[in-house]
Amino acid sequence: MISIHNEPQPTDLGDVRVANRAVVLRHVRLHAPCSRADIAARTGLNKATVSSLVSELIDQRLVRETGLTENRVGRPATMLVLDGEPYAALGLQISADELVAVAIDLGGNRLLTWRRAFAAAAAPPTETMRALAALTRRAIGRVSAQGRTVLGLTVGVPGLVDPTGAVPLATALGWRDVPVAADLRAALRQPSFAVGVDTVANLAALAEQRHGTYAGSTDLVHLTGGITVGAGIIAAGRLLRGGRGFAGEISHLCLDPTGPPCRCGRRGCLTALVGLPAVVRRLLPDTADDDNPLTDYLPELTRIVALARQGDPTVLGGLAETGRQVGRGAAILADLLNPQVVVLGDHLATLAPWLLPAARSELAARSHAPHAGGCQLDASTLTTAAALGGATAALATVEAGRPPALT
């Protein structure tokens, strides 16, 4: 699976050219516009090696020259920036009530963002996979019509994902043992590009680490919202996956053994306290209808925001209690992982103006280290973060120094 790595370094072991190509490409992404001499000076590669690698990257249309700059000592230098115009990467996201597709170019610029209402929590996995494949084919068609080649795609799922791209359990969707990667590859007729699968929390964390307010943070946790709650963990610059890829599964962390029942069969889980269905039930009791369960939570979320802005005391009190539970969960993460920041996503970000005061107070009160070990608690500014992270993950092969084949 794909993860964020620390700055690549020149190496004398293994495939030296691949490793050094990754060094150059990453340097251009982070420091463009820059010259060949800049790259050599900052990376430690010799000028001849840099010149050769840059020529390859220009031929692959991953890097392009932008002209000369006079603002330097000595002769004017030809500056370099990322190109990648012929390429695109796709990210897909399965949520309880919608499917999302995002395409980006090599520089992370969005080429498309599509959201399709779909009640995945109420549909059988086969139906969801058909809908996902149809959305994927449309996205591939759109970027292909722009003259771009798809480098890869990654799907985010709100559940456990194993190294084969299968989902052994997704409680929020009612899934068990769904071979998502294999099914999607088959539906796309075994495409030439890689098809990956990861948790929505992991992919959202990748998006935050690359594109969010705290981009570049080496120790970061993204708390996803929605029908369930998950944690994507960046530790020392890498995704923390655990022995079998199941790290970050905090949705069923028990905060209150006497609390409300959870879909997993236990009581007082984090999801049962702060997941979107739990928040809606608590703040909008008139929506409870066992005969017609909700499948689209956006109208209710919009209604909660409107009531909060109007100062509705019941809603404000419920949001403060939700914030306290979020803070309790964040305090556990702060003590275990000592991240620089815990970022709230999805509905937790939407409700952050009313959640954060209580959540931050609870984090400070319950963390063992002084001042929560320096951990900040904030809201994400990204939309469709998991799909964006999926597209970012799909670029990993190129960013690792293995360009696509020339056509």
Side-chain angles (χ1 to χ4, degrees), residues 12-393:
D12 293 325
L13 302 174
D15 190 340
V16 177
R17 195 161 189 85
V18 169
N20 289 343
R21 192 185 294 120
V23 171
V24 172
L25 191 59
R26 182 179 174 102
H27 185 88
V28 174
R29 178 173 65 80
L30 294 176
H31 303 290
C34 57
S35 69
R36 291 166 174 80
D38 294 332
I39 297 170
R42 293 284 295 272
T43 65
L45 295 169
N46 66 58
K47 292 182 179 179
T49 297
V50 169
S51 181
S52 176
L53 292 170
V54 167
S55 294
E56 287 184 13
L57 294 172
I58 289 174
D59 288 342
Q60 294 282 350
R61 294 190 65 186
L62 297 173
V63 168
R64 62 183 173 86
E65 297 177 335
T66 62
L68 303 177
T69 179
E70 301 286 351
N71 298 322
R72 56 196 305 120
V73 177
R75 293 185 302 172
T78 301
M79 306 305 284
L80 304 166
V81 297
L82 287 180
D83 185 358
E85 185 176 340
Y87 307 112
L90 295 179
L92 303 162
Q93 178 179 345
I94 302 173
S95 299
D97 56 1
E98 69 174 357
L99 303 176
V100 181
V102 167
I104 62 174
D105 64 13
L106 191 63
N109 303 300
R110 292 205 191 206
L111 304 173
L112 65 83
T113 300
W114 289 345
R115 306 177 76 156
R116 176 192 169 186
F118 183 84
T126 52
E127 184 178 338
T128 300
M129 291 307 301
R130 280 197 298 269
L132 184 71
L135 183 64
T136 303
R137 285 191 289 267
R138 282 187 56 211
I140 292 172
R142 173 63 64 88
V143 297
S144 297
Q146 298 171 353
R148 297 177 185 271
T149 298
V150 175
L151 297 173
L153 69 84
T154 310
V155 183
V157 181
L160 302 178
V161 178
D162 71 21
T164 71
V167 177
L169 180 64
T171 304
L173 302 178
W175 286 11
R176 284 187 179 273
D177 300 318
V178 179
V180 175
D183 285 354
L184 188 55
R185 279 194 292 265
L188 298 178
R189 299 183 179 180
Q190 305 301 329
S192 59
F193 51 80
V195 174
V197 183
D198 210 333
T199 70
V200 292
N202 282 347
L203 296 180
L206 291 184
E208 290 292 345
Q209 207 272 349
R210 175 68 67 86
H211 308 287
T213 301
Y214 296 90
S217 297
T218 57
D219 294 271
L220 172 152
V221 177
H222 184 284
L223 275 182
T224 63
I227 201 168
T228 187
V229 178
I233 303 164
I234 303 289
R238 295 174 179 262
L239 266 176
L240 182 64
R241 296 191 174 279
R244 297 190 63 185
F246 300 157
E249 181 51 54
I250 65 164
S251 58
H252 301 291
L253 175 71
C254 181
L255 295 184
D256 180 4
T258 64
C262 182
R263 292 183 64 176
C264 72
R266 302 180 180 91
R267 302 186 72 91
C269 297
L270 184 61
T271 287
L273 294 168
V274 307
L276 183 53
V279 173
V280 170
R281 282 194 302 270
R282 183 181 306 124
L283 303 185
L284 302 176
D286 60 305
T287 61
D289 186 346
D290 292 338
D291 295 327
N292 296 287
L294 288 174
T295 58
D296 181 3
Y297 287 91
L298 181 58
E300 278 62 42
L301 183 59
T302 301
R303 184 178 161 201
I304 290 171
V305 170
L307 290 170
R309 287 173 176 166
Q310 293 166 14
D312 183 282
T314 300
V315 167
L316 291 178
L319 288 173
E321 174 58 25
T322 301
R324 284 188 283 273
Q325 300 295 350
V326 170
R328 291 180 66 185
I332 293 171
L333 292 169
D335 284 344
L336 286 176
L337 302 170
N338 191 213
Q340 296 164 308
V341 61
V342 175
V343 183
L344 306 182
D346 300 304
H347 79 280
L348 299 177
T350 301
L351 300 174
W354 303 279
L355 300 181
L356 281 175
R360 286 168 173 162
S361 295
E362 199 75 7
L363 170 62
R366 290 184 174 270
S367 300
H368 178 69
H371 308 293
C375 175
Q376 300 182 65
L377 184 59
D378 210 345
S380 176
T381 59
L382 299 176
T383 58
T384 60
L388 176 60
T392 301

